[in-house]
């Protein structure tokens, strides 16, 4: 059985107090309503991480993730945060290669390959994001783009290392736009990702990897998406800023 995960991505939202208040709400709802074994993850800005880890300890049902980490172990990189620092406060996950990082911060597949190595070396579980732009889908390059992102970002890893990753398929045209990929469109790509992994490694590796869908996922569309055989949960942006919506998405696996 693959691990089911619903991960919230707060992006650059919520000041410290607002973040703590939201997280407390999430924990209360999770404690009251979530019984099965799916994993809730909240990926916050760096400033919240340490406090969220402390609050999460009491519940034990929510893990905490960062949204980025530097590729170097340490050094003269003013303003950056290392994977080791993130791990040192008790964080377990890190989002890597989000399309906003690729687009606004020029993160390339080659850079992301380095970030993945450093994150894994420091015991973090990368939630590695891939996905095509609208233009790429319209010109029917989406399969090619996904394959290139897998080869460029993570296929240098051996089977043992790649098995530690969580992959998130996030079509760029569906992120924050209110336009969701249909469950069929998402399933088609998730199945393709698994095929590409099976061809590079083997079927067991492909069958074991958790693949999340992201892009305007909400409590209404999550049931149809998560019912698909290759969709193992979601990476949730906007809806993760509302405790009720986020926990309702988690509850899809309880239904
Ligand atoms: P969204 O963002 O749910 O607001 O579309 C998803 C993401 O960017 O991870």
């Amino acid at each position: 059985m693959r691990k089911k995960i619903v991960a919230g991505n707060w992006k650059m939202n919520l000041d410290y107090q607002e973040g703590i208040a939201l997280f407390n709400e999430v924990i209360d709802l999770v404690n009251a309503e979530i019984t099965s074994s799916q994993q809730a993850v909240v990926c916050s800005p760096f400033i919240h991480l340490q406090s969220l880890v402390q609050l999460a300890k009491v519940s034990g049902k929510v893990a905490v993730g960062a949204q980025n980490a530097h590729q170097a172990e340490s050094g003269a990189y003013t303003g950056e945060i290392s994977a080791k620092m993130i791990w040192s406060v008790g964080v377990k996950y890190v989002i890597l290669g989000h399309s906003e990082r690729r687009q606004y911060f020029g993160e390339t597949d080659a850079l992301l390959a380095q970030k993945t190595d450093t994150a894994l070396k420091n015991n973090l579980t990368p939630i590695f994001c891939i996905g095509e732009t609208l233009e790429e889908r319209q010109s029917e390059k989406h399969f090619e783009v996904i394959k290139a992102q897998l080869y460029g970002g993570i296929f240098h890893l051996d089977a043992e290392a790649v098995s530690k990753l969580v992959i998130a398929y996030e079509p760029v045209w569906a992120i924050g736009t209110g336009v969701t990929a249909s469950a069929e469109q998402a399933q088609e790509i998730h199945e393709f990702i698994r095929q590409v992994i099976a061809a590079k490694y083997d079927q067991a590796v492909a069958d074991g990897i958790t693949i999340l869908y992201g892009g305007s996922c909400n409590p209404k569309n999550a049931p149809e998406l998560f019912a698909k055989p290759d969709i193992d949960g979601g990476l949730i942006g906007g809806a993760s800023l509302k405790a009720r919506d986020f926990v309702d998405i988690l509850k899809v696996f309880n239904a």
Side-chain angles (χ1 to χ4, degrees), residues 16 19 42 48 75 125 162 176 178 199 205 211 225 227 235 244 247:
Y16 181 76
V42 169
H48 303 88
T125 298
V162 92
V205 171
I211 308 178
L225 286 159
L235 182 54
R244 181 70 271 162
V247 175

Side-chain angles (χ1 to χ4, degrees), residues 7-11 41-45 64-67 93 95 127 235:
N9 174 13
W10 288 359
K11 309 193 180 183
V41 182
V42 169
C43 300
S44 76
V64 178
Q67 300 171 14
Y93 290 87
I95 297 173
I127 300 175
L235 182 54

Side-chain angles (χ1 to χ4, degrees), residues 6-28:
V6 174
N9 174 13
W10 288 359
K11 309 193 180 183
M12 196 176 76
N13 293 298
L14 309 173
D15 67 21
Y16 181 76
Q17 287 76 13
E18 290 166 342
I20 299 301
L22 174 61
F23 195 72
N24 274 321
E25 257 188 272
V26 168
I27 293 226
D28 286 348

Side-chain angles (χ1 to χ4, degrees), residues 9 11 98 100 170 174-177 214-217 235-239:
N9 174 13
K11 309 193 180 183
H98 191 281
E100 288 151 15
E170 299 204 303
I175 296 177
T177 56
S216 299
C217 188
L235 182 54
I236 319 297

Side-chain angles (χ1 to χ4, degrees), residues 75-225:
Y77 301 101
T78 302
E80 290 295 316
I81 304 270
S82 74
K84 185 163 186 269
M85 292 170 192
I86 294 167
W87 172 255
S88 74
V89 295
V91 169
K92 300 278 186 281
Y93 290 87
V94 62
I95 297 173
L96 292 179
H98 191 281
S99 65
E100 288 151 15
R101 300 284 326 166
R102 293 177 187 261
Q103 185 182 348
Y104 305 134
F105 302 93
E107 295 195 356
T108 60
D109 291 333
L111 175 77
L112 292 168
Q114 292 176 36
K115 288 193 174 205
T116 303
D117 288 343
T118 309
L120 285 172
K121 202 170 153 207
N122 288 282
N123 306 307
L124 296 172
T125 298
I127 300 175
F128 191 87
C129 302
I130 55 179
E132 80 285 359
T133 62
L134 182 61
E135 201 189 353
E136 287 161 348
R137 178 161 282 261
Q138 283 171 342
S139 52
E140 291 180 9
K141 291 203 181 112
H142 42 299
F143 291 109
E144 205 181 298
V145 168
I146 296 293
K147 196 169 174 180
Q149 289 172 335
L150 290 169
Y151 269 89
I154 59 175
F155 277 7
H156 63 289
L157 298 170
D158 63 20
E160 194 192 334
V162 92
S163 301
K164 292 180 180 157
L165 304 179
V166 172
I167 293 174
Y169 168 59
E170 299 204 303
V172 180
W173 46 273
I175 296 177
T177 56
V179 180
T180 321
S182 69
E184 289 69 32
Q185 281 173 321
Q187 166 59 25
E188 185 183 35
I189 299 287
H190 282 230
E191 194 182 344
F192 174 72
I193 293 168
R194 241 181 262 292
Q195 281 166 7
V196 175
I197 294 171
K200 166 76 183 171
Y201 298 92
D202 61 40
Q203 196 59 47
V205 171
D207 287 343
I209 291 192
T210 296
I211 308 178
L212 310 180
Y213 167 78
S216 299
C217 188
N218 60 42
K220 279 212 180 76
N221 56 36
E224 205 188 334
L225 286 159

